[in-house]
Amino acid sequence: MQTKKIEEDIIYNSRMSGYCFHITDEKWELDKDVCIYPYKVTRKMPEPMKEGYLQTLAYYASEFSSGYVKAINFIFLKWVNLMSLNVIDDKAIQELNIYLGPVKNYKLKAIKKFITKWRAFNYHGVDKTAIRMLEKINIVSNQTGEAVKRRDPNKGPFTEVEFNMILTTLAELYSENKIESTIYCFILLLATTGRRPLQLTSLKGKDLIKKMDRYYLNIPRVKQKLPFRAEMEMKEIDGNLFKALHFLIEENEKYFELNFHEETCGLRGDIPVFLDIKKVKKCIKLSDIKNKLNSDYFHMRNQKLFRMLKSLSMGKDLKSGRTKNTININARRFRYTLATRLASEGATISVIAKALDHKSISSSGIYIKNVPDNVRDIDSKIGDFLQPLANVFLGIESQINKDKFKEHILQSYALNDNSEKEIKCLTCKNLKPWRIE
């Protein structure tokens, strides 16, 4: 394995354009929302390991999402605080697996990929026994949607009463000029589009479109491993939301013109819908910002909008009928609510997946499975089917219930002798029909 001196003068680019760092910097700014501090990890590593960790992490920062890189750095920080990490071998992997436990075992998947890449780069620090141990460990998938499954009153979907209370209060505050256009538009977008916060904070003025008497929003996709705003999806919105967004965009344009004493005609389409005013103030003249408009630099940080969401709930003291406490308002709950409402209306898994902009339908089924009406229907059907069998085991009218259960089986699997319909399965050479004596 190589042990090299860390090259301090090389500039590394983040995946998000407009952000770069030196490998020895204490803070790596990867995009508007994420900064990581690799030195907190490397200061507890032996000198020969540092190069491998930093070079691999820099590669990840240029190729993968900032959130993914942040998660890896965080796991390593916990790891080096857990034990003396002189080399990553089978024992180190075992220690980490025990620390993560069965609930967080899924995080080993990211670690496995990271140290495999580290070793492929031929840097010191990863022993082959670590890779072998990871091959042996059963790494489970992350269990998503638990709050939806258990209908968590603080983290799961809002009830209809809670949802309507939030939107009614929001409309009243906006009409009385008691809240900013920013938070009003953000909440309405969350409630009606089902999109992730990062998709909404990535919007620019040119994404608002009017065609005839219909209104649309061109929303960036963010979970498809593509560069910033590389792929868009058109979503129809209502007239009221269009007007509110148009007003917010005009406010942003006016701010630019007043701040720089220049017209922004050529830049209007690139000005963010959710604008970070503080970063604009740092620019001395309009030409300073032109190169940064292609990145997320002037887009508002998600955390600022999240704080606005929380302050709305606390400020108006919106109470939940289920918990009698203040409603916990966050972006994810709006997505859960939209999907749950669609499922209640009979939407298919593919429709729900499209509404939430999921990459696949694998995680969309939880909404259909957890609709109370669906659960009741399933319980009813299964109950009717199994009740005779349960009675047989309880010794209740055994013969009568045996006959009922046999009849259920015959009808369910089309094995009645008097069936007039031609069933292709019954003529299949591979069929092995049940025999009921």
Side-chain angles (χ1 to χ4, degrees):
M1 297 290 179
Q2 299 178 25
T3 303
K4 301 178 182 178
K5 184 180 182 218
I6 298 175
E7 299 180 49
E8 299 182 8
D9 57 340
I10 297 177
I11 296 176
Y12 294 80
N13 292 313
S14 171
R15 184 183 177 210
M16 174 64 69
S17 64
Y19 296 84
C20 58
F21 54 89
H22 290 94
I23 203 167
T24 53
D25 289 346
E26 288 192 352
K27 181 175 82 170
W28 297 5
E29 188 175 5
L30 303 183
D31 60 24
K32 68 181 176 67
D33 288 304
V34 176
C35 292
I36 61 172
Y37 301 85
Y39 83 95
K40 293 182 179 181
V41 176
T42 57
R43 69 185 177 184
K44 294 195 174 185
M45 284 180 169
E47 204 62 37
M49 282 187 72
K50 292 181 180 180
E51 174 76 357
Y53 179 72
L54 291 173
Q55 290 287 0
T56 309
L57 195 67
Y59 166 79
Y60 264 61
S62 66
E63 294 291 328
F64 298 99
S65 73
S66 59
Y68 188 49
V69 179
K70 182 181 179 180
I72 289 172
N73 193 62
F74 182 76
I75 296 170
F76 266 92
L77 181 59
K78 294 291 183 182
W79 203 355
V80 295
N81 287 326
L82 177 69
M83 62 182 290
S84 180
L85 203 62
N86 296 318
V87 66
I88 300 174
D89 56 12
D90 54 347
K91 292 178 182 177
I93 295 295
Q94 284 179 322
E95 286 285 337
L96 180 61
N97 189 34
I98 293 168
Y99 168 75
L100 292 174
V103 177
K104 297 181 179 179
N105 162 275
Y106 68 90
K107 293 185 177 182
L108 285 176
K109 185 177 180 181
I111 294 299
K112 181 180 179 181
K113 290 181 178 179
F114 184 84
I115 66 173
T116 299
K117 179 61 72 174
W118 181 340
R119 187 170 170 80
F121 284 154
N122 205 31
Y123 286 106
H124 177 83
V126 180
D127 189 77
K128 60 184 178 183
T129 59
I131 309 297
R132 289 174 185 169
M133 179 55 68
L134 283 166
E135 292 292 345
K136 293 178 182 178
I137 294 174
N138 179 31
I139 303 175
V140 299
S141 299
N142 185 14
Q143 299 299 309
T144 57
E146 290 299 313
V148 176
K149 292 176 185 176
R150 63 176 181 266
R151 300 190 72 78
D152 190 309
N154 294 310
K155 297 180 180 179
F158 299 118
T159 64
E160 282 296 312
V161 173
E162 292 168 346
F163 184 73
N164 291 330
M165 184 192 304
I166 292 168
L167 293 189
T168 300
T169 302
L170 184 72
E172 289 174 356
L173 292 172
Y174 185 67
S175 64
E176 296 169 5
N177 294 319
K178 291 182 178 179
I179 57 170
E180 297 178 21
S181 300
T182 300
I183 191 61
Y184 176 73
C185 291
F186 185 63
I187 293 177
L188 280 188
L189 285 169
L190 288 172
T192 59
T193 69
R195 293 301 184 263
R196 301 172 185 85
L198 183 56
Q199 292 178 271
L200 301 180
T201 56
S202 298
L203 289 168
K204 293 183 181 291
K206 59 188 173 186
D207 298 327
L208 195 63
I209 300 166
K210 180 180 179 181
K211 292 182 179 179
M212 303 296 286
D213 293 328
R214 303 179 75 172
Y215 308 98
Y216 301 91
L217 197 59
N218 213 16
I219 305 177
R221 307 191 75 191
V222 296
K223 282 284 189 175
Q224 287 68 35
K225 297 181 179 179
L226 295 166
F228 181 59
R229 292 177 51 86
E231 185 175 329
M232 315 290 285
E233 186 174 52
M234 194 83 76
K235 180 93 175 168
E236 187 167 3
I237 59 174
D238 67 36
N240 290 330
L241 179 54
F242 179 89
K243 288 177 184 176
L245 285 168
H246 191 266
F247 177 74
L248 178 59
I249 292 167
E250 286 186 333
E251 281 189 328
N252 293 339
E253 290 172 355
K254 287 176 184 176
Y255 178 81
F256 267 84
E257 290 175 353
L258 288 172
N259 200 58
F260 299 107
H261 307 289
E262 295 182 44
E263 288 194 5
T264 59
C265 297
L267 304 176
R268 283 178 181 175
D270 291 316
I271 295 174
V273 172
F274 298 101
L275 182 66
D276 189 330
I277 300 295
K278 288 184 179 179
K279 286 187 177 178
V280 177
K281 287 180 178 178
K282 291 179 181 179
C283 297
I284 299 173
K285 51 187 178 180
L286 196 60
S287 59
D288 294 340
I289 74 165
K290 290 181 179 179
N291 292 331
K292 294 180 178 179
L293 281 174
N294 292 325
S295 74
D296 71 350
Y297 183 79
F298 292 108
H299 293 253
M300 190 175 289
R301 295 182 70 239
N302 290 352
Q303 285 300 325
K304 182 172 182 180
L305 286 163
F306 294 163
R307 287 194 293 271
M308 288 182 179
L309 281 176
K310 188 173 182 179
S311 64
L312 173 70
S313 179
M314 300 296 289
K316 295 304 295 182
D317 197 25
L318 301 175
K319 297 287 187 181
S320 166
R322 292 181 287 176
T323 65
K324 309 303 179 186
N325 296 321
T326 302
I327 298 173
N328 176 31
I329 301 179
N330 62 53
R332 187 169 292 177
R333 296 191 75 184
F334 283 103
R335 277 172 62 80
Y336 288 162
T337 303
L338 177 65
T340 302
R341 295 178 84 189
L342 286 172
S344 299
E345 294 167 4
T348 63
I349 293 178
S350 58
V351 169
I352 294 172
K354 184 171 178 59
L356 298 182
D357 198 30
H358 281 164
K359 289 189 292 185
S360 69
I361 63 171
S362 59
S363 56
S364 305
I366 59 170
Y367 300 103
I368 290 178
K369 292 175 185 175
N370 288 276
V371 173
D373 290 342
N374 289 353
V375 174
R376 282 193 292 272
D377 288 344
I378 292 169
D379 285 345
S380 174
K381 300 295 183 187
I382 294 296
D384 291 343
F385 186 82
L386 293 179
Q387 188 61 52
L389 185 61
N391 288 339
V392 170
F393 282 104
L394 291 171
I396 302 172
E397 298 181 330
S398 295
Q399 191 55 50
I400 294 174
N401 281 297
K402 280 181 183 179
D403 293 339
K404 283 183 179 180
F405 186 68
K406 288 177 184 178
E407 186 62 26
H408 277 319
I409 295 294
L410 290 168
Q411 290 177 354
S412 298
Y413 293 94
L415 297 175
N416 284 323
D417 292 335
N418 60 355
S419 178
E420 296 178 359
K421 294 182 179 179
E422 181 184 351
I423 300 173
K424 292 182 179 180
C425 292
L426 298 179
T427 61
C428 177
K429 65 179 181 180
N430 296 316
L431 175 69
K432 294 181 180 179
W434 289 10
R435 301 297 181 195
I436 300 178
E437 300 299 332

